[in-house]
Amino acid sequence: MRQLDEYKVLDYLAEHYEVLHTQSRQWILEDIEEFIKFRKQKNV
């Protein structure tokens, strides 16, 4: 939960719900991992 909060993952999920809810769980998890990795690189 700390990482979800720190990297604003829940905001990302809410903002992109229309696309994400049509994808598989595995795809969404991979997308979240990429999102966090990108945010870490940008130090956001």
Side-chain angles (χ1 to χ4, degrees):
M1 277 309 289
R2 184 186 62 75
Q3 281 191 334
L4 294 179
D5 186 45
E6 180 179 350
Y7 296 109
K8 308 275 189 242
V9 174
L10 297 180
D11 293 341
Y12 169 76
L13 294 176
E15 184 177 333
H16 297 94
Y17 173 79
E18 291 296 322
V19 173
L20 295 173
H21 87 279
T22 64
Q23 304 301 318
S24 70
R25 288 182 190 164
Q26 183 63 36
W27 189 92
I28 294 170
L29 290 174
E30 290 172 7
D31 192 50
I32 290 169
E33 289 174 355
E34 280 293 314
F35 180 78
I36 291 172
K37 181 179 175 182
F38 176 78
R39 302 283 292 207
K40 282 181 178 180
Q41 291 174 347
K42 296 293 183 181
N43 290 321
V44 175

